[in-house]
Amino acid sequence: MPATGDTLTMPDGTSFSIVESTADSGGERVEFEISMAPGALGPPKHFHPRQEENWNVLEGELSVFVDDGWRRLGEGESLSIPPDTVHTLRNRSPGVVRFRDVHEPALDFQDYIEALHRQAAAGKITSRMTPSTLIHGAMVLRQHRTTQLSASPVQRTAETVLSLIGRALGFRTSWGGNA
């Protein structure tokens, strides 16, 4: 299990360095330092039912969507996102953006990022939107619905259907069993 100081990488090169793990905080929080290359996209619009999320930009410029609009956060700027608030992020700038990301309480958010990393490392989730990537990604999202829900009810339904297809095909999202 990854711990404080470890780095998890996604297919697009986005890296999540664990500043404070769920275990080290006793479950109170999980903190990552995230680095995104120019043009990197974040997750689809989503919300966290029981977590507050905080972003603090350390370098570069982060484009964020909160509630109903996009805005930019520059170096030294922060944003707090209450539970049940629709949001996402991306790097629309020409340079790398580096920022702190904190989820309180931690719940299973670190597990969610670890699951995405494992799937990427195994080549099951790639930067291309193949059927396999969509199915594996949906299975990970479905497995972590207590932490993160897609904002669109249609997308949540599609995730459920794709997850069921993946299970029927014997796809796995963890080393211990099916999602």
Side-chain angles (χ1 to χ4, degrees), residues 30 37 41 48-49 53-54 94 135 142 145 149 159 172:
V30 60
L41 302 175
H48 306 285
E53 185 171 12
N54 293 285
I135 291 170
R142 182 79 175 101
R145 281 210 168 155
L149 286 160
E159 290 162 3
R172 302 165 87 73

Side-chain angles (χ1 to χ4, degrees), residues 81-149:
I81 303 158
D84 289 324
T85 302
V86 173
H87 63 282
T88 192
L89 54 96
R90 61 179 58 154
N91 183 359
R92 291 180 170 165
S93 76
V96 169
V97 64
R98 199 169 48 86
F99 60 99
R100 290 287 171 102
D101 176 80
V102 179
H103 284 77
E104 295 177 298
L107 302 177
D108 69 344
F109 191 77
Q110 182 176 335
D111 295 335
Y112 165 68
I113 297 300
E114 289 173 16
L116 290 173
H117 167 76
R118 281 193 306 273
Q119 295 296 301
K124 296 176 188 234
I125 293 178
T126 68
S127 58
R128 293 181 40 233
M129 287 296 117
T130 64
S132 177
T133 289
L134 292 172
I135 291 170
H136 281 94
M139 291 177 74
V140 170
L141 280 166
R142 182 79 175 101
Q143 197 172 24
H144 293 88
R145 281 210 168 155
T146 58
T147 296
Q148 180 164 311
L149 286 160

Side-chain angles (χ1 to χ4, degrees), residues 1-172:
M1 171 177 235
T4 298
D6 290 342
T7 298
L8 308 170
T9 306
M10 299 303 149
D12 69 352
T14 296
S15 66
F16 289 73
S17 296
I18 304 171
V19 174
E20 184 176 24
S21 70
T22 299
D24 287 348
S25 75
E28 290 183 28
R29 58 191 268 133
V30 60
E31 182 174 351
F32 294 99
E33 183 173 304
I34 301 174
S35 180
M36 297 175 80
L41 302 175
K45 291 175 187 169
H46 64 281
F47 62 94
H48 306 285
R50 300 186 335 243
Q51 290 173 300
E52 180 174 307
E53 185 171 12
N54 293 285
W55 295 324
N56 180 13
V57 178
L58 304 171
E59 173 186 349
E61 184 177 270
L62 183 65
S63 293
V64 300
F65 178 93
V66 179
D67 279 329
D68 58 0
W70 285 96
R71 66 186 239 197
R72 294 181 182 186
L73 294 179
E75 189 172 320
E77 293 184 298
S78 298
L79 180 66
S80 181
I81 303 158
D84 289 324
T85 302
V86 173
H87 63 282
T88 192
L89 54 96
R90 61 179 58 154
N91 183 359
R92 291 180 170 165
S93 76
V96 169
V97 64
R98 199 169 48 86
F99 60 99
R100 290 287 171 102
D101 176 80
V102 179
H103 284 77
E104 295 177 298
L107 302 177
D108 69 344
F109 191 77
Q110 182 176 335
D111 295 335
Y112 165 68
I113 297 300
E114 289 173 16
L116 290 173
H117 167 76
R118 281 193 306 273
Q119 295 296 301
K124 296 176 188 234
I125 293 178
T126 68
S127 58
R128 293 181 40 233
M129 287 296 117
T130 64
S132 177
T133 289
L134 292 172
I135 291 170
H136 281 94
M139 291 177 74
V140 170
L141 280 166
R142 182 79 175 101
Q143 197 172 24
H144 293 88
R145 281 210 168 155
T146 58
T147 296
Q148 180 164 311
L149 286 160
S150 295
S152 164
V154 171
Q155 186 165 340
R156 287 195 302 271
T157 300
E159 290 162 3
T160 298
V161 170
L162 288 171
S163 183
L164 291 170
I165 291 169
R167 289 178 75 149
L169 294 173
F171 287 12
R172 302 165 87 73

